[in-house]
């Protein structure tokens, strides 16, 4: 169980104020809300990447955290080498085989030897997601993981992510501006408005019958 009590302020402005948010182990949570609603800040707080008032409890086991920031990056190395960075306890051949399997799932096999610094935005985003998914994590924090991809690439990566979730059962917090993607991923929606949790519901109920006025306005605007 993850328990989140976070208040984050910049100067006099409170950008996030969430109390007693409880996330079940192995749950999938889609963070929705307008720009500036606190979604990325919440991810960073859970991941321990920013200071804040309050506390985030990840449980006694202290799970490994995989984080994909909204701004993608790659190392100026081959695409394949980007995927093997951080892998430990494997032989060179095992690392290569694991990387090649991920490249195949992501549709990047033909780019394996290319310098990752010369990839397109969508390709870099696929590579960044693949790098996070190269090893098991107890918690996945994904900030707009497919925002630069075309529809087919996004669907493909959603499939890769679902396969990972099925295999490793991480707790997933994922921000997205794509309502269709949120529907496809399932789980629960955490809807943030002006830094506060305005509504929480399973995905189907949220889209069919939102309760809060803020959620109804958001869906009316972006649907």
């Amino acid at each position: 169980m993850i328990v989140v009590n976070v208040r984050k302020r910049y100067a006099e402005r409170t950008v996030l104020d969430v109390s007693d948010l409880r996330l079940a182990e192995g749950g999938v949570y889609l963070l929705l809300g307008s720009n500036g609603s606190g979604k990325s800040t919440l991810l960073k707080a859970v991941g321990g990447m920013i200071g804040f008032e309050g506390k985030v409890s990840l449980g006694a086991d202290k799970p490994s955290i995989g984080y994909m920031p909204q701004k993608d990056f790659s190392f100026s190395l081959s695409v394949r080498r980007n995927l093997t960075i951080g892998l430990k306890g494997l032989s060179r051949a095992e690392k290569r085989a694991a990387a090649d399997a991920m490249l195949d799932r992501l549709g990047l096999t033909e780019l394996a030897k290319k310098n990752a610094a010369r990839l397109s935005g969508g390709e870099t985003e696929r590579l960044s997601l693949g790098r996070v998914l190269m090893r098991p994590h107890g918690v996945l924090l994904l900030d707009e993981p497919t925002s630069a991809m075309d529809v087919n690439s996004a669907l493909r990566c959603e499939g890769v992510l679902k396969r990972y979730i099925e295999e490793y059962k991480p707790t997933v917090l994922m921000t997205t501006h794509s309502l269709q993607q949120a529907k496809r991923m399932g789980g629960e929606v955490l809807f943030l408005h002006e830094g506060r949790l305005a509504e929480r519901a399973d995905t189907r109920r949220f889209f069919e019958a939102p309760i809060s006025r803020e959620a109804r306005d958001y869906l009316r605007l972006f649907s």
Side-chain angles (χ1 to χ4, degrees):
M1 176 72 72
I2 296 175
V3 183
V4 179
N5 290 280
V6 170
R7 189 181 188 201
K8 178 65 178 177
R9 292 184 293 181
Y10 290 108
E12 299 302 314
R13 179 170 173 253
T14 299
V15 297
L16 185 66
D17 192 354
V18 174
S19 299
D20 200 31
L21 173 61
R22 295 175 180 266
L23 308 175
E25 183 178 340
V28 176
Y29 300 93
L30 286 303
L31 275 65
L32 300 183
S34 302
N35 289 336
S37 60
K39 303 185 301 296
S40 296
T41 303
L42 178 58
L43 290 190
K44 292 175 183 177
V46 172
M49 286 158 276
I50 57 172
F52 57 86
E53 300 172 44
K55 181 180 180 181
V56 173
S57 173
L58 298 178
D61 294 337
K62 296 182 180 179
S64 168
I65 295 175
Y67 172 59
M68 181 179 171
Q70 194 173 102
K71 187 175 181 179
D72 309 302
F73 70 95
S74 60
F75 300 98
S76 186
L77 301 165
S78 73
V79 170
R80 180 185 287 121
R81 183 72 183 95
N82 265 261
L83 290 179
T84 60
I85 288 176
L87 291 184
K88 298 178 181 179
L90 299 176
S91 68
R92 184 175 180 180
E94 288 171 331
K95 289 180 180 180
R96 182 186 177 102
D100 286 349
M102 182 61 72
L103 290 172
D104 180 62
R105 290 195 286 272
L106 295 171
L108 295 173
T109 298
E110 294 182 0
L111 303 176
K113 297 180 181 180
K114 185 173 182 177
N115 189 309
R118 295 197 292 271
L119 295 177
S120 69
E123 290 166 347
T124 301
E125 195 166 59
R126 277 187 278 168
L127 178 59
S128 297
L129 178 61
R131 191 166 52 237
V132 172
L133 302 184
M134 280 296 289
R135 59 192 182 94
H137 295 289
V139 176
L140 273 185
L141 306 174
L142 307 174
D143 201 350
E144 294 283 347
T146 65
S147 60
M149 298 182 200
D150 59 44
V151 173
N152 288 336
S153 294
L155 289 172
R156 183 171 193 150
C157 286
E158 285 173 23
V160 175
L161 178 57
K162 288 178 180 179
R163 173 176 172 173
Y164 181 96
I165 292 170
E166 184 177 350
E167 182 173 2
Y168 296 112
K169 306 295 190 297
T171 304
V172 180
L173 281 83
M174 173 175 159
T175 74
T176 180
H177 281 292
S178 170
L179 302 186
Q180 294 304 315
Q181 182 173 71
K183 292 176 183 179
R184 291 191 298 266
M185 290 302 298
E188 285 190 61
V189 167
L190 304 178
F191 177 72
L192 295 175
H193 178 74
E194 296 183 351
R196 290 176 169 79
L197 184 63
E199 189 161 345
R200 174 179 184 169
D202 71 82
T203 303
R204 181 174 180 179
R205 204 279 290 159
F206 178 82
F207 285 105
E208 290 183 351
I211 295 173
S212 66
R213 176 183 57 80
E214 294 85 358
R216 291 195 298 272
D217 290 345
Y218 175 83
L219 291 176
R220 197 159 37 239
L221 183 62
F222 292 103
S223 294

